[in-house]
């Protein structure tokens, strides 16, 4: 019971964070879920919760969604995420933990590299990014630090950015959840746990909406890098300890 209470509180905090900066809930929660339930269970639980978290961001900023960008990203991202999820199910648990930890740490320099390039994305760029990031999302779950600069480079800001990135991610995570279900990795217990965690994320997301315009770009970057480093180290510690 204490473990569930802690996860729910962390879920609310993670929902607030993702509601402000557009990502971070999976990065913050996944190490806690891995510790509480193990990597094989944690990933489908977080996938369900991510569907609910992204849905809440879409509902909070519904009128701001750029549906052309969503379509371009999702048309390649959905099948790629399904392929990535099937690949994930074939991997042993300790490999998943190590891969997640390394990926989180690697995203810190990658995120800064993309920011320095300052390229302007077009719709076809979103389609290419959807295929690449969708497959990675199927395997490692959280690729927000990669998708964030893609949508920002397309010219989306504040509510439009939050809504469009969330709508695109919603389709990606739905594809992953359906794949988990088809391959028997989503029993009733895991589904219930995912819904509970997702409810706390949704509550946090709506609470965080009021803070969106109060955080500077520099503060956003520092928070994101800190989350990536802490979560990556925590996962590697669990896998190798």
């Amino acid at each position: 019971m204490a473990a569930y209470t802690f996860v729910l509180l962390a879920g609310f905090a993670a929902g607030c964070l993702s509601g402000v900066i557009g990502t971070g809930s999976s990065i913050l929660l996944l190490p806690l879920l891995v510790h509480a339930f193990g990597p094989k269970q944690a990933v489908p639980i977080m996938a369900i919760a991510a569907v609910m978290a992204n849905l809440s961001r879409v509902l909070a900023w519904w009128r701001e969604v750029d549906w052309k960008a969503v379509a371009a990203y999702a048309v390649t991202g959905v099948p790629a995420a399904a392929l990535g999820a099937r690949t994930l199910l074939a991997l042993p648990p300790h490999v998943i933990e190590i891969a997640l930890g390394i990926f989180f740490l690697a995203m810190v320099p990658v995120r800064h590299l993309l920011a320095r390039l300052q390229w302007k994305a077009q719709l076809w760029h979103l389609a290419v990014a959807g295929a690449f990031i969708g497959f990675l999302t199927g395997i490692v779950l959280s690729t927000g630090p990669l998708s964030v600069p893609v949508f920002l480079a397309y010219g989306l800001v504040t509510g439009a950015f939050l809504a469009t990135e969330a709508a695109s991610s919603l389709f990606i995570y739905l594809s992953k959840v359906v794949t988990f279900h088809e391959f028997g990795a989503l029993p009733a217990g895991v589904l219930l746990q995912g819904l509970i965690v997702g409810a706390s994320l949704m509550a946090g997301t709506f609470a965080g909406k009021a803070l969106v315009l109060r955080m500077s770009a520099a503060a956003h970057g520092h928070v994101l890098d800190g989350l990536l480093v802490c979560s990556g180290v925590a996962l590697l510690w669990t896998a190798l300890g």
Side-chain angles (χ1 to χ4, degrees):
M1 185 64 183
Y4 269 103
T5 301
F6 179 69
V7 169
L8 287 175
L9 291 174
F12 181 81
C16 287
L17 180 67
S18 66
V20 172
I21 65 176
T23 187
S25 59
S26 300
I27 298 170
L28 180 61
L29 269 185
L30 189 57
L32 300 177
L33 294 176
V34 168
H35 178 74
F37 305 111
K40 281 290 187 182
Q41 239 180 306
V43 173
I45 288 172
M46 192 64 239
I48 296 168
V51 167
M52 297 175 68
N54 282 296
L55 177 60
S56 65
R57 293 217 309 274
V58 172
L59 293 175
W61 299 95
W62 176 257
R63 295 182 180 180
E64 304 279 353
V65 179
D66 185 327
W67 289 109
K68 286 185 179 180
V70 171
Y73 189 85
V75 71
T76 55
V78 167
L83 179 60
R86 181 65 189 96
T87 303
L88 171 67
L89 294 175
L91 298 175
H94 74 280
V95 173
I96 298 172
E97 290 178 321
I98 293 172
L100 287 169
I102 292 174
F103 187 79
F104 281 177
L105 293 174
M107 278 197 289
V108 174
V110 169
R111 190 182 71 80
H112 286 280
L113 175 62
L114 290 175
R116 282 198 302 270
L117 291 176
Q118 295 184 341
W119 59 281
K120 298 297 181 181
Q122 299 178 16
L123 285 177
W124 72 268
H125 289 130
L126 294 182
V128 173
F132 175 69
I133 298 174
F135 180 73
L136 288 179
T137 303
I139 296 178
V140 304
L141 187 68
S142 180
T143 52
L146 288 181
S147 62
V148 164
V150 171
F151 285 99
L152 290 176
Y154 184 67
L156 301 173
V157 295
T158 59
F161 157 70
L162 291 170
T164 304
E165 195 279 336
S168 302
S169 296
L170 177 62
F171 287 107
I172 300 299
Y173 285 114
L174 280 172
S175 173
K176 188 169 184 175
V177 168
V178 170
T179 302
F180 282 145
H181 176 71
E182 291 297 319
F183 287 93
L186 204 62
V190 171
L191 177 60
L192 178 60
Q193 290 164 337
L195 292 174
I196 293 172
V197 174
S200 68
L201 284 174
M202 291 185 78
T205 298
F206 282 106
K209 180 180 177 180
L211 302 175
V212 168
L213 299 178
R214 299 182 183 179
M215 180 174 284
S216 67
H220 168 275
H222 293 322
V223 170
L224 192 53
D225 287 345
L227 278 173
L228 287 169
V229 171
C230 291
S231 297
V233 170
L235 286 166
L236 290 175
W237 181 274
T238 301
L240 303 175

